[in-house]
Amino acid sequence: METTHKLLRKESLEKLYNHLSEQRRIYAPVKTSDGKVEYRYNPDFPDVTFDHIRSTLSVKNLVFPKVENLLYYTSTKTETTVTEIDINKTKEVVLWGAHPCDTAAFDILRSIFCWDINDEFFLKRLEKLIVIGLGCKSSDEYCFCTSVGLSPVSSKGSDILLTPLKNGHFRADILTEKGKKIAASGIDLFENYSNDEILVTEVKQKFAHDQVTGKLATVFEHPFWVENSLRCIGCGACAYVCPTCACFDIQDETKGKNGRRYRSWDSCGFGLFTIHTSGHNPRSVQSQRWRQRLMHKFSYMPERNNSLGCVGCGRCSSGCPVDMNIAEQLETLQSI
Amino acid sequence: MNNLNVKARKLLETKVVGVVIGFETGPTGIVRPAFITDPSKADTLIYDEHCTQNLAVYLTKPEVKKLGKIGIVAPLQVMRGIMMLISEMQITADDIIVLGISSKGELLEISDISVMQGLIEKSELSNPLKDKELLDKLTSLSREERFKWWQNELSKCIKCYACRQACPLCYCTRCFVEVNQPQWIQVQSNTYGNMEWHILRAMHLAGRCISCGECGRACPVGIPCHLLTMYLADETFRYFGVRAGTSDKMKSVLSVYDPGDKENFII
Amino acid sequence: MPEFEPKIVAFVCNWCTYAGADLTGTSRIKYSPNVKIIRFPCTGRIDFMLLLKAFANGADGIIVSGCHPNDCHYTSGNFHAKRRWIMFKELMDFMGIDMNRITFSWVSAAEGAKWAEVVNTTSARIKELGPYVSYKELVNRPIEEEVKNE
């Protein structure tokens, strides 16, 4: 779909925000009292931040929540009744102010959740999601979107992308049918754009991902894995904050006769992630688990899903208690 | 930190140890744990006020133990961690060489465990000042306010278990939460389940916490869970007069008893 | 509006308090019917998580009772329990859980009257405190709201 750039004035931002939140929930970033950035439902416009580099948690919660009921059941002496979740009850939600790394993640998640069968829960949530992207005017040393084929102004995954301009207004790109519907919904806020200069940060490329993918196919037994994973403590922080990590655990919880089956986030970094019922654990050592993480994202996924498993947002590295910096490790790997 | 680098290099060159665990500055300037096996890399070891990770957490990992005898850079909280691990029979004094670091950042000569014990006993063992202030602020709130405060904090918990993994004393190969016969703690993250998890962890660390604060620092969403374990460390001292990690013969407070324990709430 | 009848769960040891409660019954002493007794071999067996689970499953109050110090059937079980309760009580109070709703006591097999007194005073106190609404609300919070409240 061809896009012509439009102009959205600073003053019209609040009007757009309020219009969007009139009939839908809106998920927008706010700064918390301890200096972190958190996405919350329906904050007031003055609290919404436009200056953030990254939020602590990703926004995958909208399509892959940290806990999601799958079905309910009731057991009596003679039979068990299963009640399905009515996914049609899923409500529309607007994701406001998501940077290009986060918006690109939705496609990657789709390649995982619709790999062999279509995950209905995920798809319905994605269908009801409207993404208003926000280009990046600042970045830090953890960002590496340009190393994974993205950029601070990439339009991948956004329905409407707002890029900050040097004059304080925004360049708006209406990219999808969903975006078109919003723009045409009687608000008339998008004006003609006359090539005002964009205010966008520069993210230096740290490595070439296709080179890394090629290298990974040859270094499975390399001592690099042990040397560089000794300090990993094996928590789930990197997987949980990552916008593209999608491993989950399914559990049943029963109270008396009633119960529910739910799925919740899981991490391949946990020691018992791969333990078999026999007690055998094929990935019993952290180096094997660390290798799995990097190879899954940069070798197995390109091979099977035709997409990288990483968007270069840097959350894993900035959230890691022991500085397991994925970009640094891949840079080193590239030159082995 | 020259003395440390010289000593580390010597230990590796003479093959007294197979690895020296210390701190280094990563390429982005962040201080992080370092594992030096090559004597020529011993100069990368540093020590400053950013060296907060508790290195004792690596002493119970099989892949680290495999490297041989371990030289470990040990500021106070690591020394206390080592003491606890020895008293709980997870490591022996012969498995390690302690490169003690004083509160001023100088290398200390530690020839055996009794020397380390003496150093620990002379140090400030109560909770760090910043955390003492937070604890005081919380205890000055009313009970209902505290309940709301903790609910608010624990609703953020995503059950990543970074707190557990960063703690040198959480070394169980199968944690309580990973047992499902019965399932005491829910797998998912929800405020009530998160509260149960943190209560359980604090109680399992009652009398064992060495007040390093790593659990709170490791938390990616910024929950001060170290306040729970540090609070109990304070209470252990108040009621039983002991602090964890001060002796290799100490038995953990909840696994022993004294008929003379005083309390005022049992009728 | 029917008067609030508290639900109280009692964790008692088999050798002293349970026998004491038996004696209360055989002595025909009347006491508050709100209590459900759970029998343990010893107070040392009582895991602190069980108390939390009791609150989570609808209890408004809890009684934990066992043999007097030095009288434990297993010699030292109640000493361990005492230490555990000291730490648990402090932690619970720090987290803001209402410790007024939990009664700890030593009731021997000969103290039928004391058992009745413990139950009656606890029951009266819980009646006054009312149902443990804040805890129940926390436990019953639906998932959808949890995820919404990011």
Side-chain angles (χ1 to χ4, degrees):
Chain A
M1 194 181 109
E2 188 188 279
T3 54
T4 40
H5 299 310
K6 292 263 185 225
L7 176 73
L8 181 71
R9 290 188 189 279
K10 200 165 53 185
E11 308 79 68
S12 309
L13 259 188
E14 185 163 0
K15 294 203 193 89
L16 177 63
Y17 183 89
N18 290 332
H19 171 78
L20 286 169
S21 51
E22 241 163 51
Q23 283 156 357
R24 309 170 188 87
R25 292 178 300 161
I26 191 161
Y27 200 53
V30 300
K31 280 214 169 90
T32 62
S33 50
D34 50 354
K36 293 193 197 297
V37 176
E38 226 175 63
Y39 277 83
R40 288 207 193 131
Y41 282 103
N42 307 321
D44 296 320
F45 185 77
D47 295 329
V48 175
T49 172
F50 290 84
D51 295 328
H52 64 292
I53 295 179
R54 70 178 65 80
S55 54
T56 319
L57 292 175
S58 71
V59 291
K60 69 181 176 188
N61 235 326
L62 291 175
V63 291
F64 174 45
K66 67 179 182 182
V67 56
E68 181 166 33
N69 286 336
L70 300 176
L71 51 86
Y72 298 100
Y73 51 85
T74 308
S75 269
T76 60
K77 274 209 177 77
T78 46
E79 59 168 16
T80 303
T81 354
V82 171
T83 318
E84 306 256 348
I85 308 277
D86 184 4
I87 54 171
N88 292 311
K89 285 214 180 101
T90 313
K91 297 207 273 274
E92 251 194 348
V93 65
V94 175
L95 170 59
W96 175 275
H99 286 313
C101 47
D102 285 332
T103 60
F106 291 117
D107 226 17
I108 297 179
L109 285 174
R110 187 210 298 268
S111 77
I112 298 172
F113 281 100
C114 302
W115 182 26
D116 48 0
I117 56 163
N118 288 334
D119 187 312
E120 298 297 335
F121 296 96
F122 171 84
L123 279 176
K124 186 54 91 172
R125 286 181 193 269
L126 192 61
E127 183 197 308
K128 299 283 186 178
L129 176 67
I130 299 169
V131 180
I132 312 289
L134 178 68
C136 306
K137 53 184 190 206
S138 53
S139 61
D140 64 15
E141 66 275 20
Y142 291 112
C143 291
F144 60 100
C145 56
T146 45
S147 310
V148 292
L150 294 170
S151 84
V153 286
S154 166
S155 57
K156 233 172 167 208
S158 291
D159 293 305
I160 298 178
L161 175 66
L162 301 174
T163 311
L165 298 170
K166 283 211 166 110
N167 58 21
H169 300 302
F170 293 84
R171 181 182 79 185
D173 291 298
I174 300 162
L175 300 153
T176 61
E177 290 303 325
K178 271 186 200 164
K180 264 191 186 161
K181 255 170 91 181
I182 303 272
S185 57
I187 41 170
D188 203 21
L189 294 169
F190 296 99
E191 308 168 34
N192 284 324
Y193 172 68
S194 38
N195 275 320
D196 304 313
E197 221 182 321
I198 55 173
L199 174 64
V200 157
T201 182
E202 191 201 326
V203 176
K204 276 215 185 71
Q205 190 170 352
K206 296 188 180 177
F207 57 85
H209 66 87
D210 37 1
Q211 270 188 47
V212 165
T213 303
K215 185 57 72 86
L216 279 174
T218 64
V219 292
F220 197 78
E221 302 290 353
H222 200 279
F224 164 90
W225 299 114
V226 175
E227 284 156 15
N228 285 284
S229 66
L230 280 171
R231 67 178 182 277
C232 172
I233 54 176
C235 66
C238 55
Y240 285 15
V241 299
C242 172
T244 60
C245 273
C247 282
F248 57 84
D249 189 13
I250 296 185
Q251 292 282 332
D252 286 347
E253 224 172 63
T254 313
K255 224 183 204 176
K257 294 197 176 58
N258 304 312
R260 63 191 175 95
R261 176 164 295 174
Y262 64 84
R263 70 171 167 199
S264 60
W265 290 350
D266 205 348
S267 162
C268 60
F270 289 140
L272 298 185
F273 185 72
T274 46
I275 196 161
H276 297 177
T277 326
S278 62
H280 169 62
N281 189 349
R283 292 190 216 133
S284 53
V285 180
Q286 201 63 46
S287 60
Q288 295 164 313
R289 299 192 279 270
W290 180 245
R291 176 178 61 193
Q292 159 65 18
R293 181 176 171 75
L294 291 195
M295 295 211 60
H296 176 92
K297 286 177 175 297
F298 287 89
S299 177
Y300 308 148
M301 275 190 72
E303 197 186 325
R304 295 184 198 189
N305 299 39
N306 281 321
S307 80
L308 275 182
C310 175
V311 291
C313 69
R315 281 190 181 86
C316 55
S317 314
S318 68
C320 177
V322 291
D323 197 35
M324 294 289 279
N325 189 317
I326 199 173
E328 173 204 328
Q329 302 231 359
L330 291 168
E331 256 180 289
T332 317
L333 245 177
Q334 198 182 249
S335 50
I336 287 181
Chain B
M1 208 45 265
N2 226 326
N3 290 339
L4 173 62
N5 304 81
V6 166
K7 179 88 193 230
R9 181 192 282 262
K10 186 142 156 269
L11 286 171
L12 286 165
E13 272 170 353
T14 52
K15 298 218 192 324
V16 171
V17 300
V19 61
V20 173
I21 308 179
F23 296 95
E24 67 180 5
T25 311
T28 53
I30 305 277
V31 171
R32 63 201 195 183
F35 292 75
I36 315 286
T37 44
D38 180 353
S40 63
K41 300 246 169 64
D43 285 338
T44 55
L45 287 173
I46 58 137
Y47 190 78
D48 63 26
E49 70 276 14
H50 297 115
C51 297
T52 52
Q53 287 97 348
N54 197 321
L55 301 177
V57 71
Y58 299 108
L59 294 175
T60 45
K61 291 204 187 299
E63 53 263 48
V64 174
K65 283 174 145 163
K66 232 178 19 182
L67 298 170
K69 193 155 178 163
I70 301 170
I72 181 163
V73 171
L76 178 66
Q77 73 263 27
V78 179
M79 279 198 257
R80 287 178 75 182
I82 294 171
M83 258 327 185
M84 280 303 290
L85 290 175
I86 294 177
S87 72
E88 293 186 347
M89 293 183 263
Q90 296 302 310
I91 59 174
T92 63
D94 295 327
D95 296 334
I96 54 174
I97 299 237
V98 180
L99 300 164
I101 306 281
S102 75
S103 54
K104 295 193 195 61
E106 298 146 348
L107 182 64
L108 299 163
E109 273 305 316
I110 298 190
S111 46
D112 69 61
I113 288 299
S114 54
V115 175
M116 195 166 83
Q117 185 165 337
L119 283 166
I120 295 175
E121 280 168 356
K122 283 205 287 267
S123 311
E124 176 57 60
L125 297 174
S126 57
N127 293 329
L129 186 63
K130 194 165 45 89
D131 303 306
K132 266 204 254 252
E133 286 169 359
L134 261 171
L135 283 172
D136 285 337
K137 185 183 111 186
L138 276 175
T139 43
S140 68
L141 296 174
S142 77
R143 187 190 57 77
E144 288 93 353
E145 285 174 327
R146 266 203 302 277
F147 194 51
K148 275 208 183 60
W149 192 89
W150 278 113
Q151 273 192 61
N152 185 36
E153 290 293 328
L154 294 175
S155 64
K156 297 190 268 180
C157 175
I158 50 175
K159 293 290 231 35
C160 67
Y161 301 122
C163 48
R164 175 188 78 180
Q165 298 296 125
C167 175
L169 292 156
C170 277
Y171 50 72
C172 289
T173 45
R174 191 169 205 140
C175 175
F176 218 63
V177 299
E178 287 158 343
V179 172
N180 66 1
Q181 301 283 0
Q183 186 88 49
W184 273 118
I185 305 287
Q186 294 172 317
V187 171
Q188 59 167 284
S189 154
N190 65 27
T191 310
Y192 179 63
N194 300 341
M195 196 171 83
E196 280 193 329
W197 157 243
H198 284 279
I199 291 173
L200 180 119
R201 202 182 88 87
M203 281 303 290
H204 282 193
L205 284 166
R208 303 168 65 228
C209 173
I210 52 177
S211 301
C212 68
E214 262 316 282
C215 46
R217 264 190 288 270
C219 179
V221 292
I223 299 169
C225 51
H226 60 296
L227 293 179
L228 294 170
T229 46
M230 282 190 183
Y231 182 75
L232 282 185
D234 258 348
E235 295 301 298
T236 307
F237 185 63
R238 185 158 75 93
Y239 279 102
F240 311 115
V242 294
R243 292 217 186 263
T246 47
S247 154
D248 60 326
K249 307 260 183 312
M250 200 174 89
K251 293 258 175 263
S252 140
V253 142
L254 282 187
S255 63
V256 293
Y257 63 90
D258 176 356
D261 284 337
K262 297 250 179 305
E263 44 67 30
N264 60 359
F265 60 89
I266 307 182
I267 57 176
Chain C
M1 161 115 164
E3 200 189 295
F4 163 59
E5 283 300 334
K7 288 197 181 65
I8 300 175
V9 175
F11 297 89
V12 306
C13 88
N14 175 57
W15 303 99
C16 285
T17 307
Y18 195 74
D22 239 358
L23 183 59
T24 320
T26 53
S27 314
R28 303 281 183 258
I29 301 176
K30 285 197 172 60
Y31 64 96
S32 171
N34 305 77
V35 90
K36 289 180 170 53
I37 297 180
I38 303 180
R39 183 169 66 114
F40 285 78
C42 179
T43 45
R45 161 62 178 105
I46 302 172
D47 194 309
F48 54 86
M49 289 303 293
L50 292 171
L51 301 180
L52 293 178
K53 297 290 179 188
F55 276 138
N57 281 293
D60 302 300
I62 294 177
I63 300 172
V64 183
S65 180
C67 306
H68 286 264
N70 290 310
D71 288 342
C72 178
H73 184 83
Y74 304 99
T75 321
S76 55
N78 56 359
F79 287 135
H80 285 292
K82 184 162 88 168
R83 278 215 165 180
R84 201 178 298 146
W85 298 344
I86 289 171
M87 299 303 268
F88 187 61
K89 189 166 175 297
E90 292 296 338
L91 181 66
M92 289 297 98
D93 194 47
F94 183 58
M95 293 210 78
I97 296 177
D98 195 352
M99 282 291 105
N100 287 326
R101 293 180 180 270
I102 308 186
T103 304
F104 295 92
S105 64
W106 306 130
V107 174
S108 81
E111 291 178 308
K114 183 172 180 191
W115 177 243
E117 193 194 314
V118 167
V119 175
N120 287 335
T121 36
T122 308
S123 191
R125 193 172 69 232
I126 306 290
K127 249 195 200 138
E128 216 181 319
L129 288 170
Y132 202 177
V133 171
S134 57
Y135 207 89
K136 288 197 231 280
E137 265 174 5
L138 175 61
V139 173
N140 293 321
R141 199 179 288 179
I143 295 279
E144 294 72 20
E145 209 194 290
E146 281 285 342
V147 179
K148 190 174 133 195
N149 286 340
E150 283 300 291

